Amino acid sequence: MSNRMWGGRFATGPDAIMEEINASIGFDQRLYKQDIAGSIAHATMLAQVGILTQADRDAIVTGLKAVEQEIESNAFTFSRSLEDIHMNVESRLKELIGDPAGRLHTARSRNDQVATDFKLYVRDAIDTFLAQIQALQLALVKRAEEEVSTIMPGFTHLQNAQPVTLGHHLLAYVEMLGRDYGRFEDARRRLNESPLGSAALAGTPYPIDRDATAAALGFDRPTANSLDAVSDRDFILETLSAATLCAMHLSRFAEELVIWSSAQFGFVKLSDKFTTGSSIMPQKRNPDAAELIRAKVGRIMGALTSLMMVMKGLPLAYSKDMQEDKEVAFDAMSSLSLSLAAMTGMVEDLVPNRERMRASANAGFSTATDVADWLVRQLNIPFREAHHITGQIVALAEQKGMSLEGLTIEDFKFIDHRIDSRIHKVLSVEASAAARKSYGGTAPENVAVQVARWRTALTGVASEPVKVKRSGGHGDGGATE
Ligand code: ARG
């Protein structure tokens, strides 16, 4: 039997293999809500401009709502021979209401229909990401507030570099996520034009009102070029690139959590809720959620690459290739959403080990730069020379098997007689972090200001910086010249 939705000129139905390669209903049924909303807007507009009678419009709308109800209660039977969500819905509408259903497809095509449906879907997904990103940012900001003065090693090349505060480190991700948020917002703004009424590719001779359908579906305006409208998939590509960047950021943080939670580092403990045990090694707590987040970026970027390859070289306007946009995009969007949710949960439950971080920050002569800076600022020694002298001081400490803080004033004078006891004030990791008060630097009082800024931005409630303790309990915190 030929397809009753388009089979007029066909004598037989498609080969089974053809049906299998052609059908999208297996995955595009996810678009049922958007498809029905689009059809309701379209039918309502057709009645407004006099193409449909009000009675037909009402029958169509009632019927579409019944179809939606059936799908939501799992009473709907999707049929592969009806190819996709658009024809499955319309065919069921015909069964339910009879003749008026046949008038719904006036002045539109599946080409503008699918572009509209998917835009609505992606727009909803973006709105979810925006809310999820803010939730993760807020979770990070709360943790950062608790850790404004927590000292940890700052790394370059994953080697101890200079002490930083954990609050500062966490806020670095808040900044990245802020840019991700901006990219999604931007993509949303650009996608929000309605393709509906572009019809197959050239527009339609019917006197339709595209502004009305655009407004009914929450679009800012109708698209201005029908060829572009039915063949544009930029909105998905843009969303997938924003998703790739966001997932890459999550992946970096996930990698840090994997490292930090290892026995060798021991900086944090991940909660039972986000770790798993081993079936053979009873002592294990594996950071599986972090590892999976670390990996997800591959699928998300894979979706971007895949769709980019689908689109490149496609002539205008619609080609069936474009049906390949959905599976990868659905997968990428749910992967990102799941990753954001899991990361938020991990951040909320994370237990930092402050002593361990401090001890690690203190290792590896991490305040050597502070010694050099002291020589420059107190003794007016050129930085290059100060760097050299400091190198000799580090070598002496290494030889004596102690930290810079452990050296006596005689030790310092042995290297350079101009050094006096004031040098001891800059040797602690607390002093080092507290001294970095330049805008954007790691000093606890800076971090407190940034925490307050983000809190205000994220909650809409003005928030004041928390008071920072002047001394960190170890060494001579905050006392810098
Ligand atoms: N299932 C199709 C897709 O996702 C809908 C559009 C089909 N249009 C067509 N002319 N065959 O792209």
Side-chain angles (χ1 to χ4, degrees):
M1 193 185 70
S2 70
N3 187 306
R4 72 197 135 98
M5 307 298 282
W6 47 251
R9 70 185 292 273
F10 288 76
T12 64
D15 188 272
I17 299 287
M18 175 57 194
E19 196 178 283
E20 187 175 349
I21 194 171
N22 198 36
S24 54
I25 190 62
F27 45 89
D28 70 10
Q29 47 182 271
R30 284 213 208 186
L31 298 175
Y32 78 91
K33 245 189 190 321
Q34 290 76 12
D35 196 69
I36 288 170
S39 290
I40 290 176
H42 184 65
T44 303
M45 179 278 291
L46 290 179
Q48 275 161 8
V49 299
I51 298 171
L52 270 189
T53 64
Q54 194 58 37
D56 282 351
R57 178 267 172 201
D58 291 347
I60 288 171
V61 171
T62 311
L64 286 169
K65 288 185 173 156
V67 173
E68 183 165 20
Q69 196 52 47
E70 286 183 7
I71 296 176
E72 287 180 347
S73 58
N74 283 323
F76 192 95
T77 319
F78 291 102
S79 147
R80 196 165 79 175
S81 64
L82 289 166
E83 283 183 39
D84 56 26
I85 185 63
H86 324 295
M87 295 202 292
N88 269 271
V89 168
E90 195 186 317
S91 163
R92 180 66 184 139
L93 183 67
K94 179 92 198 303
E95 287 171 7
L96 290 175
I97 68 165
D99 283 345
R103 299 187 185 278
L104 171 61
H105 212 53
T106 314
R108 77 170 185 189
S109 143
R110 278 189 290 155
N111 297 349
D112 58 340
Q113 208 181 340
V114 72
T116 305
D117 292 3
F118 209 21
K119 273 195 171 182
L120 291 172
Y121 188 95
V122 172
R123 192 177 71 187
D124 284 349
I126 290 178
D127 288 340
T128 305
F129 298 149
L130 291 174
Q132 287 189 299
I133 288 173
Q134 289 205 329
L136 175 54
Q137 285 182 301
L138 195 56
L140 286 162
V141 165
K142 285 181 181 159
R143 302 314 308 265
E145 184 158 48
E146 293 158 11
E147 312 297 339
V148 281
S149 316
T150 304
I151 301 294
M152 67 175 284
F155 300 97
T156 61
H157 315 268
L158 198 56
Q159 307 285 323
N160 253 13
Q162 291 172 353
V164 296
T165 51
L166 176 56
H168 194 54
H169 195 115
L170 296 176
L171 286 188
Y173 286 101
V174 176
E175 294 291 334
M176 292 176 232
L177 289 163
R179 295 193 293 277
D180 293 328
Y181 188 95
R183 274 183 281 270
F184 280 122
E185 252 188 339
D186 210 31
R188 189 194 196 284
R189 193 163 31 243
R190 244 187 308 280
L191 82 64
N192 208 28
E193 295 185 342
S194 172
L196 198 57
S198 300
L201 74 165
T204 169
Y206 295 95
I208 57 170
D209 182 352
R210 295 191 57 210
D211 290 297
T213 44
L217 296 169
F219 288 112
D220 295 329
R221 65 192 79 82
T223 52
N225 184 303
S226 61
L227 292 168
D228 174 45
V230 295
S231 62
D232 161 37
R233 294 294 181 272
D234 297 6
F235 64 98
I236 315 169
L237 289 166
E238 222 180 321
T239 303
L240 292 175
S241 12
T244 302
L245 280 165
C246 183
M248 176 275 289
H249 290 146
L250 297 181
S251 179
R252 296 183 72 178
F253 190 32
E255 164 69 355
E256 295 196 317
L257 293 178
V258 170
I259 296 177
W260 292 358
S261 64
S262 68
Q264 287 73 9
F265 270 73
F267 285 5
V268 296
K269 189 166 170 223
L270 300 173
S271 82
D272 290 354
K273 287 196 256 170
F274 291 96
T275 47
T276 61
S278 156
S279 51
I280 175 160
M281 298 163 283
Q283 84 283 9
K284 293 270 278 186
R285 282 169 76 81
N286 294 326
D288 297 38
E291 293 168 280
L292 288 162
I293 293 171
R294 184 171 62 182
K296 292 280 188 212
V297 60
R299 300 162 70 131
I300 296 171
M301 178 151 173
L304 171 62
T305 311
S306 157
L307 184 55
M308 197 69 95
M309 291 308 102
V310 167
M311 295 308 293
K312 75 155 210 43
L314 278 191
L316 300 186
Y318 178 84
S319 297
K320 196 61 172 264
D321 312 46
M322 292 180 188
Q323 179 167 288
E324 286 287 307
D325 59 357
K326 288 174 209 62
E327 277 168 294
V328 289
F330 286 140
D331 179 71
M333 291 187 286
S334 39
S335 296
L336 182 66
S337 182
L338 189 57
S339 300
L340 284 164
M343 188 56 100
T344 306
M346 275 196 289
V347 168
E348 283 168 349
D349 287 1
L350 199 74
V351 182
N353 184 334
R354 294 175 185 152
E355 292 68 42
R356 191 73 189 239
M357 287 193 193
R358 199 225 172 238
S360 171
N362 206 29
F365 313 107
S366 64
T367 59
T369 317
D370 298 274
V371 171
D373 288 338
W374 185 90
L375 296 173
V376 170
R377 293 172 69 185
Q378 301 303 327
L379 305 181
N380 199 24
I381 295 175
F383 185 80
R384 282 293 159 222
E385 190 189 337
H387 184 283
H388 186 75
I389 296 169
T390 307
Q392 294 175 308
I393 294 171
V394 168
L396 178 64
E398 202 165 26
Q399 196 190 320
K400 299 185 95 177
M402 51 181 47
S403 70
L404 292 174
E405 268 185 289
L407 293 177
T408 63
I409 190 62
E410 287 72 34
D411 292 330
F412 283 105
K413 283 194 180 296
F414 173 74
I415 301 292
D416 193 302
H417 65 90
R418 293 170 290 180
I419 300 176
D420 60 64
S421 63
R422 291 175 301 166
I423 188 107
H424 277 295
K425 288 195 167 180
V426 303
L427 299 176
S428 75
V429 286
E430 284 77 14
S432 173
R436 283 170 172 69
K437 282 188 283 220
S438 56
Y439 181 73
T442 199
E445 57 189 273
N446 276 14
V447 177
V449 170
Q450 293 298 328
V451 162
R453 175 174 75 83
W454 273 112
R455 227 185 218 290
T456 306
L458 291 168
T459 62
V461 181
S463 150
E464 289 298 314
V466 287
K467 284 261 174 303
V468 172
K469 278 193 280 102
R470 279 257 128 200
S471 166
H474 297 273
D476 192 9
T480 52
E481 290 287 283

